[in-house]
Every structure is written in structure tokens, then in C-alpha cells.
Amino acid sequence: MAQGAPPVVRLAATVVKADGDRLEVTDANGKPVSLKVPGDIRIMSVATAEPEEIKPGSFVGSAARPGPDGKLTALEVHVFPPNMRGTGEGHRPWGSDPSASMTNGTVGDLVVSNGRTMTLKYGESGTQTIVVPPDVPVVTIDRGDRTLLVPGAHIVAFYTRGEDGTMTATRLTVGKDGTVPPM
């Protein structure tokens, strides 16, 4: 019987040292972890943003789950630059929480009152309305590179584990200027 690809696992960590194809980090518990980093790895940068950066016509992504009233309530919002419009467009399950979802789309209607309520449009006719409470992290996301992998940088690494136990990163999200990636 053929085996499928190994599962991709998420790791929030802090960079200790980047050296060639190795990335030494500490996980959330302070445990040292070593990741193999392929030459063609996709690296994204994340920086803190203001809620005002969520505007009609912006392309954003929002992790959300239903609130007490049943409306989708944002857990975090990512504002993409114009050159990344369309990235991951759509609505789908997110993470291990079966009630959580990720929606990437263009902001249509936007109501600003005690936070924000935005309608995201995606595909031919898909829409989701998401409430963004005032305390939800809002970040900008952009393409990044290895120069961001400096000691102290906060990352989210997605990796696979080989049969020999080697952890190989498949993509990295790196916080800029002390930003801790919320995802």
C-alpha cells in the first residue's frame, strides 16, 4: 500500500540562529528545535497593522469562528499588498478547530462601529460577513526572504517530519520588527 505525503505540522517559535540550510529555533516552551530549510522555501513577512488598513477594495484574509450570536467573528485579519491579491481566495476550514474557518477575499461593505464588520467577496459569488472586534490582531502580510531570519525573530514554521526524524520546513512566516505572527 502506498503511503501518502507526511502531514504538515505548524510550529510557533523564535529564531536562535540561521545557518545555510539549518534554522535553529526555540519553541513556545523554550525547547530547542532544528529545522532543515530548503533553498526554494516560501517565506512570508508579517508586520503589525492598524485596523484602518482594512478598507473597501482591500484583499484580506481572516481566520474566524462563530460568535455567541452565530456571526463569524475574526480571530485575526491579514491585509495583503496589491501584488498578492487573490492569494488563497475562498472560504474553507482552518486549523484543528472544526468551527474555525479562513476566508480570503476582497472587502466589499465595511461598517466601522465598535470594531469593524466587513463583507468579504471571493470567487464568482461567494461572500462572508465577519465581525472584527477592536482587540483582534491586524497584520500586513507580504513576501519575505532569508534576511528576516535573525536571532529573536518570531516565526511560524510549517514542516514535515521525515522517517529519520528530520524536520523540513515547507514554508515560513516571519514577524518583522518584533511582530509575533498571530497565525
Side-chain angles (χ1 to χ4, degrees), residues 7 11 19 33 40 45 57 62 75 80 82 113 115 119 140 156 170 178 182:
L11 171 71
D19 186 15
V33 176
D40 62 350
S45 69
S62 180
L75 303 169
F80 291 92
S113 173
T119 300
T140 57
V156 174
T170 58

Side-chain angles (χ1 to χ4, degrees), residues 14-78:
T14 303
V15 174
V16 174
K17 179 181 176 186
D19 186 15
D21 71 345
R22 302 299 309 168
L23 183 61
E24 305 300 325
V25 301
T26 54
D27 69 12
N29 298 316
K31 177 184 168 197
V33 176
S34 180
L35 293 165
K36 183 176 180 187
V37 181
D40 62 350
I41 187 144
R42 185 176 72 161
I43 299 175
M44 303 302 292
S45 69
V46 174
T48 302
E50 296 300 321
E52 293 76 24
E53 293 190 46
I54 303 170
K55 302 174 192 163
S58 299
F59 189 80
V60 305
S62 180
R65 73 168 56 100
D69 59 2
K71 293 180 181 174
L72 283 178
T73 301
L75 303 169
E76 60 193 57
V77 178
H78 313 142

Side-chain angles (χ1 to χ4, degrees), residues 30-180:
K31 177 184 168 197
V33 176
S34 180
L35 293 165
K36 183 176 180 187
V37 181
D40 62 350
I41 187 144
R42 185 176 72 161
I43 299 175
M44 303 302 292
S45 69
V46 174
T48 302
E50 296 300 321
E52 293 76 24
E53 293 190 46
I54 303 170
K55 302 174 192 163
S58 299
F59 189 80
V60 305
S62 180
R65 73 168 56 100
D69 59 2
K71 293 180 181 174
L72 283 178
T73 301
L75 303 169
E76 60 193 57
V77 178
H78 313 142
V79 180
F80 291 92
N83 66 343
M84 291 185 68
R85 180 172 292 280
T87 300
E89 187 171 34
H91 178 77
R92 62 199 158 279
W94 182 70
S96 59
D97 178 347
S99 69
S101 61
M102 177 61 75
T103 306
N104 287 14
T106 301
V107 177
D109 295 333
L110 178 67
V111 176
V112 179
S113 173
N114 192 24
R116 294 174 166 345
T117 300
M118 60 184 178
T119 300
L120 297 185
K121 299 177 180 185
Y122 52 88
E124 291 294 315
S125 59
T127 62
Q128 293 292 328
T129 299
I130 301 173
V131 176
V132 183
D135 60 341
V136 165
V138 177
V139 296
T140 57
I141 255 184
D142 205 347
R143 290 182 172 86
D145 58 41
R146 290 174 183 261
T147 63
L148 298 170
L149 299 174
V150 297
H154 301 280
I155 68 166
V156 174
F158 296 89
Y159 69 90
T160 59
R161 187 180 300 272
E163 289 182 19
D164 63 358
T166 300
M167 297 165 62
T168 301
T170 58
R171 70 183 194 269
L172 298 171
T173 302
V174 185
K176 288 176 71 173
D177 304 321
T179 300
V180 177

